[in-house]
Amino acid sequence: QQQVKQSPQSLIVQKGGISIINCAYENTAFDYFPWYQQFPGKGPALLIAIRPDVSEKKEGRFTISFNKSAKQFSLHIMDSQPGDSATYFCASLSNSGYALNFGKGTSLLVTP
Amino acid sequence: DTAVSQTPKYLVTQMGNDKSIKCEQNLGHDTMYWYKQDSKKFLKIMFSYNNKELIINETVPNRFSPKSPDKAHLNLHINSLELGDSAVYFCASSRMGGGHNEQFFGPGTRLTVL
């Protein structure tokens, strides 16, 4: 199974600050890199995804930056809010295209 | 109007028992999945079905047997439960495989094996 390495494992950010989570991936047959957000007791939900014909994708306060040569992508959360406190997972598609290989997750806490 | 539903939400059972988890999606998707989330929150694919056909079986013990009676349902049966099977199991679905398709996850089933 392909690896997606995610860091940091946990992150504490003050309200209004910028949260940054990084991922590195191995070779993949599919250029599709999603980020999922999971709240306690809930299933993961797609937050934002990038197909790297672009180096950056922005949706509201959430931005993915992608560096294909370095095989890295990152999630930036601008103006972080307490409601953003959750676990965030980066992922890549398996070679079959039918499953997601997830990073180990980042537990984000945004303090008031 | 739940998209992906699972039953039960909690399952507590003894070692050696056999149990099933049911999953249904009303999104009209062709592909369904089972993921396992361990105590450290690591999510790992177990199975994937596309149009009722098994596509992925990720080195899961054969005590785990998925069954897809139709495209909207993917159930998971587990025989001879072991302590290490304790985890949260998530069902998911997507419009199709082949990349670029959002996977919608159910609320999870927390399995505790005593």
Side-chain angles (χ1 to χ4, degrees):
Chain A
Q1 193 178 36
Q2 294 168 309
Q3 299 288 328
V4 180
K5 295 183 180 177
Q6 183 173 347
S7 63
Q9 186 175 355
S10 61
L11 185 59
I12 301 175
V13 174
Q14 281 196 328
K15 179 181 175 181
I18 302 173
S19 304
I20 302 174
I21 305 171
N22 300 301
C23 279
Y25 66 94
E26 298 178 345
N27 289 329
T28 175
F30 296 93
D31 283 343
Y32 171 71
F33 300 95
W35 285 90
Y36 278 75
Q37 180 188 53
Q38 185 179 26
F39 292 104
K42 305 292 185 184
L46 181 67
L47 181 65
I48 186 173
I50 193 167
R51 300 168 195 180
D53 48 351
V54 296
S55 60
E56 184 175 285
K57 181 173 181 181
K58 185 175 182 178
E59 288 184 1
R61 296 184 294 107
F62 302 91
T63 300
I64 299 179
S65 298
F66 183 78
N67 184 331
K68 189 166 186 174
S69 60
K71 296 183 182 176
Q72 295 176 343
F73 59 108
S74 60
L75 175 69
H76 294 234
I77 306 174
M78 311 300 287
D79 187 26
S80 298
Q81 299 296 313
D84 297 332
S85 298
T87 302
Y88 293 82
F89 295 93
C90 61
S92 66
L93 273 172
S94 67
N95 283 336
S96 71
Y98 282 98
L100 290 169
N101 295 323
F102 285 95
K104 292 192 173 182
T106 296
S107 180
L108 171 64
L109 176 64
V110 181
T111 59
Chain B
D1 58 344
T2 304
V4 182
S5 59
Q6 297 178 227
T7 54
K9 187 165 176 62
Y10 299 96
L11 188 52
V12 181
T13 188
Q14 299 286 332
M15 255 192 331
N17 284 350
D18 303 338
K19 291 292 178 185
S20 291
I21 306 172
K22 295 187 176 182
C23 176
E24 177 181 5
Q25 54 93 4
N26 62 5
L27 298 166
H29 288 167
D30 290 330
T31 307
M32 296 186 72
Y33 313 81
W34 279 107
Y35 288 87
K36 179 180 179 181
Q37 187 170 47
D38 64 21
S39 59
K40 295 183 179 179
K41 295 191 177 178
F42 181 51
L43 273 162
K44 184 174 166 61
I45 183 69
M46 299 175 69
F47 301 103
S48 175
Y49 270 73
N50 179 255
N51 282 321
K52 301 195 301 173
E53 287 194 26
L54 180 66
I55 300 296
I56 293 175
N57 179 344
E58 281 287 335
T59 60
V60 177
N62 56 18
R63 298 183 294 105
F64 291 79
S65 53
K67 283 188 171 55
S68 183
D70 55 58
K71 285 198 310 184
H73 295 85
L74 180 62
N75 303 323
L76 184 64
H77 187 77
I78 315 170
N79 290 326
S80 303
L81 278 155
E82 300 178 356
L83 292 175
D85 297 332
S86 295
V88 181
Y89 292 85
F90 287 100
C91 177
S93 72
S94 65
R95 189 161 55 86
M96 64 181 71
H100 305 176
N101 292 287
E102 178 179 358
Q103 294 189 15
F104 291 80
F105 283 76
T109 296
R110 181 174 293 276
L111 171 65
T112 303
V113 182
L114 303 174

